Amino acid sequence: MNVADSQRVSSSLESLGYSAAVRPEEASVIVLNTCVVRQSAEDKAYGRLSSLAPLKKANPGLVINLMGCLVGVRPPDKLRQRFPFVDVFSPPSDPGPLLAFLTQDETRLKLAEETATRNAWMDEDLPLPEAEYGKLISAHIPVVLGCSHACSYCIIPYRRGVERSRPAVDIIKEAHSLVRQGVKEITLLGQIVDRYGLDDPSLPGLPGLLRELNTIEGLERIRFLTSHPNYMTDELLEAVAALDKVCPHIEVPIQAGDDEVLANMRRGYTSEQYRRLVEKLRKVIPGVSIATDIIVGFPGETAEQFQHTFDLMADLKMDVAHLARYSPREGTVSARNMVDDVPAEEKMRRFRLLEELQESIAAEIHARYMGQTVPVLFEEKVKNRWRGRTETNKLVFLESDDDLRGRVIPVQITWTGPWSMQSRLPAPKG
Ligand code: SAH
């Protein structure tokens, strides 16, 4: 989401005539986009921000824009006091305040003031993400902004605001524009992307949106993330299975494999319901790959409860697990009402156990690709190897002198590991 937000800012700036600087020292405008989902991300944001102070001192004309979840829907006075050298504060997803500042446009300035109540990605005034996306093979389109679910540990709803689905016409227009510029793969984004349209009866749901996008000529692949288990309807699963451009890859976090922990997290499902969903995904979408997220060391998580998560992961053997150690976030229900009582070393131990388990599962799944010929969309050349992905989102490398950028090519897998695969062009037939 932050990558998409940053690209949106880039293209907005390009529309005003700015171009990208190579180093911060050469820039006349610096935008620092920030994440605060865990303390480590927040610390990094403060660190980077502090490192910009000397630049501002050396060059008072430099415009510094602090953007994203560190700011939230309304910039807190605390931030302004602590970082007086910041010229503009912007909420997540919103280039509006920066554009207003740079153009000193009265209407824009006023809009930026009301920023908390408006919807930046619906702003007619902003250009489509042209130039920046023009360099991309794979682009992101936010379709649901904000989140209203309120998982007890999560700060995102407080910082990105309430859930707002973008109009389908805007999304489709944007997709067409991207494809005209050479984009081959589009990933639809939302904190709970499978809730697309549920907040607005005039909109189609995610399956309807996928069906529309599937008709775009020149577009090769469609992905979407992140899904919440409770909104993965049969209609959605069937759409993924039926639509040729929609990839058989689902990102659907479980967060924990223990029912009491899940209830404390306010996730709204049990581990048994999640198991049944995985079964159904595998039945309805042949060859589907599944990615999940896990938080270890949630308040009160006992060794036995963690074991339930471990056993479930060992059992379900999903393709990818994004692992995190619980980090209390200011203002969230868990930070206010629960004690962060799992010691740091124990969180680390649980994290390592899952990491090791997942590495062996991924290696096992990838080994099944050995010798197979699979279509790969190649995106860029790193050193002498082309980097691309299978429909199931596996990273594949190929040595070739040809220009493969943006091409979908069937390649034969010659080596597999837990994180990537290598391939060669299959021998011509006959
Ligand atoms: N809305 C999406 C993404 C949320 S942020 C979703 O629900 O999946 C990405 C991941 O960060 C989450 O899935 C969760 O695993 C992790 N996360 C969120 N808040 C956290 C916290 N306070 N501590 C540790 N990990 C957290």
Side-chain angles (χ1 to χ4, degrees), residues 7 132-140 181-184 405:
Q7 281 163 352
E132 180 66 19
Y133 277 178
K135 296 167 221 147
L136 295 177
I137 295 304
S138 177
H140 295 111
Q181 295 164 72
V183 164
K184 301 289 182 198
R405 195 170 171 277

Side-chain angles (χ1 to χ4, degrees), residues 204-242:
L206 183 58
L209 184 62
L210 292 173
R211 280 192 285 271
E212 283 271 353
L213 294 169
N214 198 66
T215 64
I216 297 179
E217 227 171 286
L219 179 60
E220 296 277 354
R221 289 179 174 182
I222 304 166
R223 303 180 187 277
F224 56 92
L225 60 95
T226 301
S227 295
H228 184 288
N230 291 12
Y231 306 99
M232 297 227 71
T233 58
D234 291 352
E235 188 196 356
L236 177 58
L237 270 51
E238 279 153 21
V240 174

Side-chain angles (χ1 to χ4, degrees), residues 37-38 153 156 191 226 253 255 293 295 324-327 329:
V37 76
R38 287 181 282 279
Y153 51 82
I156 295 174
Q191 296 301 332
T226 301
Q255 308 297 4
D293 294 10
I295 300 174
R325 286 163 284 163
Y326 172 71
S327 168
R329 307 284 53 221

Side-chain angles (χ1 to χ4, degrees), residues 354-375:
L354 283 183
E355 195 175 46
E356 227 171 85
L357 170 68
Q358 189 57 38
E359 180 169 345
S360 71
I361 293 171
E364 184 188 319
I365 293 173
H366 291 181
R368 288 185 225 136
Y369 281 75
M370 190 66 193
Q372 287 195 34
T373 300
V374 289

Side-chain angles (χ1 to χ4, degrees), residues 62-338:
L62 172 66
V63 174
I64 295 183
N65 174 209
L66 183 66
M67 177 181 179
C69 284
L70 193 61
V71 177
V73 282
R74 266 192 206 292
D77 291 338
K78 262 195 314 196
L79 266 184
R80 291 185 194 277
Q81 281 156 16
R82 188 165 161 200
F83 300 103
F85 59 89
V86 172
D87 299 281
V88 192
F89 294 86
S90 312
S93 304
D94 192 358
L98 177 61
L99 297 190
F101 184 88
L102 294 175
T103 57
Q104 287 298 307
D105 177 325
E106 288 296 324
T107 339
R108 274 213 175 107
L109 280 167
K110 202 163 163 295
L111 262 177
E113 287 281 301
E114 295 159 3
T115 201
T117 52
R118 69 197 193 89
N119 199 333
W121 280 81
M122 295 180 192
D123 197 334
E124 288 284 311
D125 236 23
L126 292 179
L128 285 171
E130 298 266 341
E132 180 66 19
Y133 277 178
K135 296 167 221 147
L136 295 177
I137 295 304
S138 177
H140 295 111
I141 304 184
V143 301
V144 186
L145 306 178
C147 183
S148 299
H149 192 88
C151 299
S152 63
Y153 51 82
C154 190
I155 196 170
I156 295 174
Y158 300 88
R159 299 296 170 93
R160 284 188 174 269
V162 296
E163 177 180 81
R164 295 98 74 200
S165 294
R166 293 178 64 204
V169 284
D170 290 3
I171 295 163
I172 290 157
K173 203 165 77 180
E174 199 166 309
H176 275 287
S177 153
L178 292 171
V179 170
R180 269 198 306 273
Q181 295 164 72
V183 164
K184 301 289 182 198
E185 175 180 273
I186 283 174
T187 302
L188 307 179
L189 300 177
Q191 296 301 332
I192 301 187
V193 72
D194 44 345
R195 276 192 52 85
Y196 176 75
L198 292 183
D199 57 321
D200 182 344
S202 72
L203 295 177
L206 183 58
L209 184 62
L210 292 173
R211 280 192 285 271
E212 283 271 353
L213 294 169
N214 198 66
T215 64
I216 297 179
E217 227 171 286
L219 179 60
E220 296 277 354
R221 289 179 174 182
I222 304 166
R223 303 180 187 277
F224 56 92
L225 60 95
T226 301
S227 295
H228 184 288
N230 291 12
Y231 306 99
M232 297 227 71
T233 58
D234 291 352
E235 188 196 356
L236 177 58
L237 270 51
E238 279 153 21
V240 174
L243 299 171
D244 60 326
K245 293 179 183 173
V246 179
C247 293
H249 175 74
I250 303 290
E251 305 250 353
V252 60
I254 183 169
Q255 308 297 4
D258 178 85
D259 289 340
E260 199 179 321
V261 175
L262 281 173
N264 290 338
M265 288 178 162
R266 301 199 178 169
R267 287 289 292 174
Y269 53 83
T270 63
S271 58
E272 186 51 37
Q273 284 167 328
Y274 189 88
R275 276 177 192 271
R276 282 204 298 270
L277 174 64
V278 168
E279 265 170 38
K280 205 200 277 181
L281 280 168
R282 288 178 171 159
K283 206 175 94 199
V284 179
I285 309 168
V288 69
S289 77
I290 302 173
T292 200
D293 294 10
I294 302 271
I295 300 174
V296 299
F298 187 78
E301 185 186 69
T302 64
E304 197 190 338
Q305 288 173 330
F306 167 73
Q307 192 61 41
H308 291 156
T309 300
F310 186 94
D311 292 346
L312 182 137
M313 294 298 287
D315 229 29
L316 288 183
K317 292 192 175 172
M318 289 176 278
D319 296 73
V320 176
H322 307 287
L323 307 174
R325 286 163 284 163
Y326 172 71
S327 168
R329 307 284 53 221
E330 194 190 338
T332 60
V333 170
S334 69
R336 280 184 281 133
N337 302 343
M338 302 174 204

